[in-house]
Amino acid sequence: MDYGSLVNHAQMLADLFWGDLQRHHPAISSLNLPDEVAQAWKQRVRVLPDGRPRRTAHAVFLAVRSFYLDLSQWSMEDPARWAAWAAPCPISEADIRGYIKETRHRQARIQQRTRTLVPVLPQLVRAAESRLQLATLLLKAARSAKPGDEFTIDGSRFRRTGRNGSHWRPTALFLAPVDHPGPRFDAECEGNNAFWTWASIEVLRRTGARIEELLELTHLSLRQYKGPTGETVPLLQISPSKTDRERVIPADPDLVAVLARIIRRIKGTGERVPLLTRYDGYERVFGPPMPHLFQCLSQHRLQVISPNRIRELLTDHALRAGIVDVDGTPLRFTPHDFRRIFSTETVNGGLPIHIAAKLLGHLDLNTTQAYVAVYPRR
């Protein structure tokens, strides 16, 4: 198991199960639970602290049931060590009977979410492009302006503030809007956020990559294949992640243009992409120095962008772009939403599902089918 799965499993067993029992029954010292204690615990697990139903209650029940069955099996294999802990399982078959139903409901919610996000994706993309264009113009103007100077960009006036920089970054270029009230902002920070928001959206929606695969892309990931006819096809090599299987996908001209722009940015005035080590939160190890594509200056040094930072950029951008549902509810995009949209549009566009599974890195066609079963009739 990777550390993400391990932490999740430990949280269910150690906190939601045994920790909850100890909080409500401090004197408990046995896994052989009285019926009233077990029933009260199951009722508490089904409800979140704020009173809402817990959607993962069946997963907790299955984890506890597996734990008890493991103890029973181990007690037969090694009685001296485990026999004292073997006890009747408090989770009956009736408790987990609704698991399949809840799984279908969860899948239906995911598919409904995909159906909701597909129509507004073009709006999100246009907003990212417009924001990047504006941020680039603002940064260029701010660098040539002196403190106190005013300039106009796209019909809006801005003023370079008198204070130059801040205590944590003396080179910061602060601008303040003139035509409408609003807080001042750092033009360099806005330009950096706008670029990486745009880059994340473009790469995610054109590759269907997972978030960890996105951040593991390096300059070495771009390859070329020369066919028998002499035609050169650009390829993108995706490093092993969730399924521990490496895959290579064809890169269309638009994706190549996006990656080329990223490479130009991180190269700067240098001839090569800087080598950085990346911390893998799933395996909790630092990788070797590599020319990672998603790297930027953070806390006074170059770092590979973190998954949480990508999620923050996407959430903030959806709010700024005013992406809402038909009823006015604000919508947000997660990195995995782009993977589901990519698979849905790819298969509905005519690509055979077994090829889509290869592009997505799925080991089972049923997994791909669950991703693309958004429009069953179609």
Side-chain angles (χ1 to χ4, degrees):
M1 300 175 72
D2 59 38
Y3 276 95
S5 302
L6 181 62
V7 168
N8 182 55
H9 205 69
Q11 196 260 346
M12 288 189 290
L13 288 179
D15 181 26
L16 297 180
F17 173 58
W18 191 247
D20 179 88
L21 289 173
Q22 287 192 324
R23 286 189 292 270
H24 291 84
H25 308 278
I28 194 169
S29 61
S30 171
L31 290 173
N32 192 355
L33 305 181
D35 184 64
E36 62 275 10
V37 172
Q39 293 301 325
W41 169 74
K42 284 185 277 191
Q43 290 299 323
R44 291 193 299 270
V45 166
R46 290 189 176 98
V47 182
L48 292 170
D50 60 4
R52 292 178 300 157
R54 187 189 300 275
R55 292 179 175 179
T56 59
H58 284 97
V60 179
F61 291 161
L62 285 172
V64 173
R65 184 177 173 88
S66 300
F67 175 57
Y68 272 83
L69 294 178
D70 282 342
L71 287 174
S72 298
Q73 180 64 32
W74 297 341
S75 66
M76 291 186 289
E77 296 174 355
D78 188 358
R81 182 177 183 181
W82 299 109
W85 297 104
C89 180
I91 308 299
S92 65
E93 185 176 351
D95 294 323
I96 60 175
R97 191 170 294 151
Y99 178 72
I100 300 299
K101 183 179 179 180
E102 176 56 34
T103 300
R104 293 196 188 103
H105 286 175
R106 183 173 64 252
Q107 188 64 41
R109 290 193 298 267
I110 293 173
Q111 292 174 358
Q112 178 58 39
R113 176 177 175 82
T114 303
R115 284 191 291 268
T116 301
L117 295 180
V118 166
V120 299
L121 178 60
Q123 181 184 349
L124 185 83
V125 173
R126 289 193 301 269
E129 293 171 348
S130 300
R131 180 186 174 188
L132 177 58
Q133 183 180 8
L134 176 60
T136 303
L137 294 174
L138 284 173
L139 182 57
K140 182 179 179 180
R143 285 173 174 169
S144 59
K146 296 179 181 179
D149 289 352
E150 293 186 5
F151 52 87
T152 301
I153 300 292
D154 283 353
S156 299
R157 288 190 300 161
F158 298 88
R159 182 178 65 253
R160 171 88 183 272
T161 59
R163 181 182 174 188
N164 186 19
S166 65
H167 67 281
W168 54 271
R169 195 159 65 86
T171 60
L173 300 173
F174 285 105
L175 300 177
V178 176
D179 297 330
H180 58 277
R184 69 172 189 164
F185 60 92
D186 181 357
E188 288 189 346
C189 183
E190 171 59 17
N192 189 60
N193 291 342
F195 178 83
W196 290 114
T197 300
W198 169 82
S200 302
I201 291 173
E202 289 298 313
V203 177
L204 286 171
R205 78 183 185 96
R206 295 182 184 279
T207 63
R210 302 178 179 91
I211 178 63
E212 62 268 27
E213 295 171 344
L214 173 79
L215 300 179
E216 288 174 356
L217 290 177
T218 69
H219 198 185
L220 304 175
S221 301
L222 272 173
R223 300 292 183 180
Q224 289 186 345
Y225 169 74
K226 192 171 184 179
T229 61
E231 180 184 5
T232 300
V233 180
L235 301 173
L236 185 64
Q237 183 177 346
I238 304 293
S239 300
S241 61
K242 186 175 180 179
T243 58
D244 292 328
R245 290 185 66 184
E246 185 179 64
R247 65 187 191 276
V248 178
I249 63 176
D252 62 18
D254 292 332
L255 176 59
V256 173
V258 172
L259 296 174
R261 188 169 178 179
I262 294 174
I263 292 171
R264 286 197 302 270
R265 181 181 180 88
I266 59 180
K267 274 187 177 181
T269 57
E271 297 181 355
R272 297 182 179 179
V273 175
L275 302 180
L276 297 177
T277 59
R278 176 182 176 272
Y279 181 72
D280 189 334
Y282 292 95
E283 301 297 337
R284 295 192 180 179
V285 294
F286 283 94
M290 298 286 287
H292 291 281
L293 296 185
F294 281 77
Q295 58 172 273
C296 68
L297 193 64
S298 176
Q299 298 179 351
H300 306 287
R301 65 188 180 93
L302 277 176
Q303 298 183 37
V304 179
I305 302 177
S306 69
N308 285 339
R309 183 57 182 155
I310 297 293
R311 296 186 183 98
E312 290 172 359
L313 290 175
L314 295 176
T315 300
D316 176 69
H317 178 65
L319 291 174
R320 292 170 58 119
I323 307 295
V324 295
D325 204 349
V326 292
D327 60 354
T329 304
L331 296 175
R332 68 185 185 94
F333 281 77
T334 67
H336 213 72
D337 287 328
F338 293 97
R339 181 169 170 82
R340 294 186 181 277
I341 293 173
F342 172 84
S343 58
T344 299
E345 294 187 332
T346 299
V347 174
N348 286 336
L351 190 71
I353 194 169
H354 66 280
I355 298 180
K358 293 292 184 181
L359 293 178
L360 293 167
H362 287 157
L363 301 180
D364 188 352
L365 284 180
N366 290 325
T367 305
T368 311
Q369 183 65 43
Y371 270 57
V372 304
V374 177
Y375 307 103
R377 183 185 181 96
R378 183 173 178 183

